[in-house]
Amino acid sequence: MFAFSRHFSRRRSSIFSEHQQIFVPFSEQQQQRNLLESRLVSVLHGCNDHNQIKQVHAHLLRKGLGQCSFLLTKLLRMLTKLNVPMEPYPRLLFDQVQQPNSFLWTALIRGYSLHGPFIESILLYNSMRLEGTRPVSFTFTALIKACTAILNLDLGRQIHAQTISIGGFESDLYVGNTLIDMYVKCGILECGRRVFDEMPERDVISWTSLIVAYTKCGDMEAAAGLFDDLPVKDMVAWTAMVTGYSQNAKPREALRLFERMRDSGVETDEVTLVGVISACAQLGAAKYATWIRDIAEQAGLGPATNVVVGSALIDMYSKCGSVEEAYQVFKGMNERNVFSYSAMIVGFAMHGRAEAAMQLFSEMVETETRPNRVTFIGVLTACSHVGMVEQGRRLFATMKEVYGVLPSADHYACMVDLLGRAGHLEEAHELVKSMPIEPHGGVWGALLGACRIHGNADIAETSANHLFELEPNGIGNYILLSNIYASAGKWDDVSKVRKLMRKKGLRKNPGCSWVEAKDGVIHEFFAGDMTHPKSSEIKLALEELLHRLKLHGYKPNLSCVVYDVSDEEKQRLLMTHSEKLALVFGMLITSDGSTIRIVKNLRMCEDCHTVMCGASGIMRREIIVRDNMRFHHFHDGICSCGNFW
DNA sequence: CTAGGGTTAG
């Protein structure tokens, strides 16, 4: 009674037109419906498979409520939420209703728009219109989502037109947001932008959709501009920006923004962490690795409990040079999925630990987790990095037959790399020619790379010509070909390639290496760059190191210099390679006996590789270098790659 | 009903 009077007084003070209906006595059927409805909601809440929903449906039928759109809509929504395939059961449930209302139609359309067949949702919309049922705003969000799923811009535009012609739906916030997402996913950012600009009201979701769109096409300035203008930033918006920087190879900006995010008191969840962890992985610095690991643990999102964070951490530790730490994370995870296994296998492969990669693969196939295309990339590169040709051939043959994974162009690239690196250049070339799918840049690039190792200028030329067509702006290809010509002493051809590059306005990416000081500060060195405050010290130390190495038989490898200059000049140029500067600086600033970790943006040159080997021996230092391809662990004068790279 | 995510290659 008390509760009622409270309810009463509250309603009285609110809008009159609404509360008049409240006191109309419910019909018996209405009361029964209300009772059922509240019972249903609680029962449905606890449903976790579709047989329970079938029981609820059977109950409704017994009560003679099988035609009630309202209740059936709830059932359909729950079925959709439980990922029950639309056919046969949910569809059957709908088909039994003679006069479905807008909401029931929409629930059905939405089911198809989420689980497919997507086109069916469009067909259902047509039927709905034919029956004269008026759509509601979320009928359109579902339809637009279906168009997004199949990337069908034509249909999407038609639906967009419908939202306007039927009347006013284009100004609905949800419809607008969904439209932005559709145009963006279909690659028409300008259309998404126009929807955004014309929306009568926007929320943080509209802004975030557009911010993500800009980050995905690499325009971080535009994204940042929008982000600054966004009045209220929530966790998702912050995360979109952090991840955007990370995905656009701007790890420092990502970390800086993450700090700002935390300063603003915004929560961090697993998605945010994944973006930050990936930024740390790019930096390759141990200090950041432990830093973010601690943050994850403190947030209760450590690898033991969170498989997504765990997989990202595995990748990060591998890329920071600590496969062992990565493996510790892997072993400590309570749940592992294909991402965790693949990340770990790829990690082993990067470090040349082929046996470990193969061992983990065989453990994986004993579990429920099925290997996917990335897993096979991992095991194939593992074989490739140590020259296990036979093993790789077998894997390649079984991936389709045993595991049902169709070899993609990427897998062919791995095979070409494996064969070519091991010296089977002709066989690799034949494999490319026999491919059932069109070879992409990766395939020809692998062949070109193998030609560089084995000095085959003919196949190199063929590969390069394909590459120039496929990747006209791929600067690396021109450099590689020119280097191959240079090693063969074909200076005329070298200048031809150089001319071609000039004509296209392409410039070589500067080589860049960085090394981490004890305090976690990262020092960056560019090739030939002598602007570092300690440059003269570095130069002296490098000269001394090279002098000592020469006493042990080191000879500068002049063929690593691809310019036609005097030998003295070549020697001088070799000394300016960024990885050598980073190495010497690392030795200057870290204590004796500690490991030096260097990251390089391009492939390390042979001469630097030799110097690293020698330095690890005479300076008694463990040196770990990550170049753009893989890791080299130098210890006691030898490298983990066995000079096979 | 609408927005952010993990493993990939020369």
Side-chain angles (χ1 to χ4, degrees):
Chain A
M1 203 54 211
F2 176 65
F4 177 75
S5 56
R6 241 177 53 169
H7 182 212
F8 177 73
S9 60
R10 200 175 49 146
R11 295 300 301 194
R12 239 160 88 113
S13 61
S14 77
I15 314 157
F16 296 100
S17 59
E18 257 185 25
H19 88 260
Q20 287 203 320
Q21 285 184 336
I22 302 272
F23 303 104
V24 173
F26 291 135
S27 69
E28 192 157 327
Q29 201 202 349
Q30 181 80 25
Q31 277 180 8
Q32 193 186 17
R33 206 184 91 171
N34 284 356
L35 197 69
L36 254 168
E37 183 195 316
S38 55
R39 270 230 311 269
L40 219 127
V41 172
S42 63
V43 170
L44 278 177
H45 217 75
C47 280
N48 39 30
D49 76 72
H50 83 288
N51 284 324
Q52 292 170 324
I53 297 186
K54 274 186 182 169
Q55 284 172 22
V56 177
H57 186 211
H59 184 72
L60 285 183
L61 290 177
R62 278 198 301 276
K63 297 278 177 184
L65 289 164
Q67 294 294 316
C68 174
S69 281
F70 182 85
L71 295 171
L72 288 173
T73 301
K74 287 207 177 299
L75 290 190
L76 263 183
R77 285 186 189 159
M78 199 61 199
L79 287 165
T80 304
K81 198 170 162 191
L82 291 174
N83 293 326
V84 178
M86 292 311 286
E87 281 156 29
Y89 179 60
R91 181 55 179 264
L92 210 76
L93 194 146
F94 175 87
D95 284 340
Q96 288 171 3
V97 183
Q98 264 113 45
Q99 286 180 320
N101 69 9
S102 297
F103 297 96
L104 188 53
W105 273 107
T106 302
L108 185 73
I109 290 174
R110 180 160 177 275
Y112 280 102
S113 84
L114 289 177
H115 307 313
F118 303 104
I119 203 73
E120 184 66 18
S121 57
I122 309 288
L123 300 175
L124 282 166
Y125 171 72
N126 287 334
S127 318
M128 171 184 183
R129 301 287 297 147
L130 279 174
E131 292 197 7
T133 313
R134 190 181 155 81
V136 293
S137 67
F138 43 97
T139 318
F140 287 112
T141 57
L143 291 168
I144 299 163
K145 249 186 141 39
C147 297
T148 311
I150 53 179
L151 296 178
N152 192 327
L153 191 59
D154 283 342
L155 269 178
R157 289 210 157 107
Q158 287 179 41
I159 300 293
H160 188 174
Q162 288 275 304
T163 64
I164 298 166
S165 67
I166 289 185
F169 287 110
E170 83 280 8
S171 53
D172 181 90
L173 181 60
Y174 291 115
V175 170
N177 286 345
T178 321
L179 278 171
I180 296 177
D181 189 55
M182 180 194 74
Y183 284 120
V184 163
K185 296 250 163 74
C186 288
I188 321 285
L189 197 153
E190 309 77 59
C191 293
R193 177 81 206 209
R194 197 177 322 142
V195 173
F196 177 85
D197 287 337
E198 290 171 2
M199 281 166 86
E201 66 168 318
R202 306 179 191 104
D203 64 1
V204 64
I205 295 182
S206 335
W207 288 82
T208 308
S209 298
L210 209 56
I211 288 171
V212 169
Y214 283 113
T215 68
K216 288 271 153 72
C217 62
D219 190 348
M220 287 311 293
E221 284 78 32
L226 275 175
F227 185 71
D228 286 341
D229 291 341
L230 176 54
V232 183
K233 305 166 171 65
D234 67 0
M235 178 172 68
V236 179
W238 279 100
T239 304
M241 277 306 285
V242 171
T243 307
Y245 280 123
S246 181
Q247 290 173 340
N248 282 290
K250 297 192 185 314
R252 288 158 212 261
E253 282 85 344
L255 294 187
R256 212 170 304 146
L257 199 69
F258 177 61
E259 290 287 20
R260 269 181 60 200
M261 174 177 179
R262 295 192 349 129
D263 290 344
S264 315
V266 181
E267 288 283 298
T268 295
D269 74 355
E270 53 166 11
V271 185
T272 322
L273 281 175
V274 162
V276 183
I277 293 171
S278 149
C280 295
Q282 290 173 48
L283 287 174
K287 170 122 181 174
Y288 288 113
T290 42
W291 167 75
I292 194 63
R293 167 81 177 267
D294 287 345
I295 292 178
E297 300 279 8
Q298 280 160 24
L301 296 166
T305 50
N306 192 300
V307 63
V308 181
V309 170
S311 305
L313 285 175
I314 292 172
D315 175 58
M316 178 189 72
Y317 278 120
S318 308
K319 287 181 178 157
C320 289
S322 320
V323 244
E324 279 315 320
E325 193 58 47
Y327 193 48
Q328 292 306 319
V329 170
F330 178 83
K331 281 196 293 194
M333 288 167 69
N334 290 321
E335 183 197 345
R336 298 178 195 122
N337 60 17
V338 64
F339 286 92
S340 336
Y341 276 103
S342 304
M344 197 61 241
I345 289 174
V346 170
F348 281 135
M350 269 194 295
H351 287 270
R353 299 269 302 271
E355 342 69 48
M358 300 311 297
Q359 173 64 32
L360 190 59
F361 179 73
S362 47
E363 282 171 33
M364 175 185 182
V365 297
E366 295 297 317
T367 68
E368 297 282 284
T369 313
R370 300 327 301 155
N372 67 7
R373 30 180 292 116
V374 183
T375 321
F376 281 103
I377 301 269
V379 280
L380 288 175
T381 45
C383 293
S384 174
H385 284 173
V386 296
M388 297 185 346
V389 177
E390 268 322 302
Q391 180 92 288
R393 280 202 184 105
R394 265 204 306 281
L395 274 168
F396 189 71
T398 52
M399 60 183 277
K400 181 172 147 196
E401 286 152 21
V402 183
Y403 302 101
V405 180
L406 277 182
S408 67
D410 291 337
H411 297 103
Y412 276 93
C414 290
M415 280 310 285
V416 169
D417 187 59
L418 170 66
L419 295 169
R421 217 178 266 279
H424 310 295
L425 278 181
E426 298 293 341
E427 188 184 345
H429 194 189
E430 287 310 313
L431 182 66
V432 178
K433 288 193 255 182
S434 72
M435 277 173 61
I437 44 178
E438 205 50 41
H440 62 358
V443 178
W444 290 112
L447 194 54
L448 184 63
C451 291
R452 191 200 55 78
I453 298 171
H454 298 285
N456 185 321
D458 289 338
I459 299 185
E461 217 170 279
T462 315
S463 316
N465 284 332
H466 281 100
L467 281 166
F468 294 159
E469 286 211 357
L470 291 166
E471 304 171 346
N473 297 322
I475 179 73
N477 304 324
Y478 296 88
I479 308 268
L480 256 184
L481 182 64
S482 134
N483 291 1
I484 295 168
Y485 284 141
S487 310
K490 298 182 163 190
W491 298 108
D492 289 347
D493 290 316
V494 171
S495 60
K496 259 196 294 187
V497 179
R498 289 259 160 81
K499 242 178 240 157
L500 194 61
M501 283 169 62
R502 263 200 301 278
K503 212 176 86 187
K504 293 186 162 274
L506 296 175
R507 294 193 55 186
K508 190 176 169 177
N509 276 339
C512 172
S513 301
W514 55 97
V515 64
E516 185 183 355
K518 246 185 291 185
D519 55 5
V521 174
I522 294 173
H523 296 262
E524 203 171 38
F525 296 89
F526 285 91
D529 171 37
M530 283 294 163
T531 57
H532 194 278
K534 296 216 169 171
S535 273
S536 48
E537 253 179 90
I538 293 170
K539 191 163 177 250
L540 272 176
L542 179 57
E543 275 165 1
E544 195 199 317
L545 173 67
L546 293 179
H547 177 71
R548 289 181 61 183
L549 288 176
K550 279 177 187 161
L551 295 179
H552 285 79
Y554 160 72
K555 282 203 189 69
N557 187 342
L558 300 184
S559 68
C560 290
V561 177
V562 292
Y563 299 96
D564 191 13
V565 292
S566 71
D567 282 2
E568 287 74 35
E569 181 62 6
K570 282 185 180 174
Q571 286 213 29
R572 198 193 63 78
L573 283 171
L574 276 183
M575 285 181 61
T576 66
H577 282 186
S578 63
E579 55 270 51
K580 286 200 188 80
L581 302 178
L583 168 70
V584 173
F585 183 73
M587 292 196 301
L588 286 175
I589 57 161
T590 56
S591 46
D592 284 353
S594 64
T595 303
I596 298 175
R597 294 164 192 275
I598 297 168
V599 185
K600 179 170 187 196
N601 66 338
L602 304 173
R603 182 184 186 276
M604 195 180 1
C605 94
E606 267 83 359
D607 185 65
C608 290
H609 193 268
T610 313
V611 169
M612 300 273 174
C613 279
S616 75
I618 62 172
M619 306 299 289
R620 301 253 153 235
R621 285 288 197 119
E622 173 119 6
I623 304 166
I624 302 177
V625 181
R626 166 183 140 191
D627 70 8
N628 62 344
M629 293 309 313
R630 58 174 295 170
F631 277 93
H632 298 267
H633 294 252
F634 301 94
H635 179 70
D636 255 349
I638 52 172
C639 179
S640 61
C641 75
N643 294 345
F644 185 86
W645 52 295

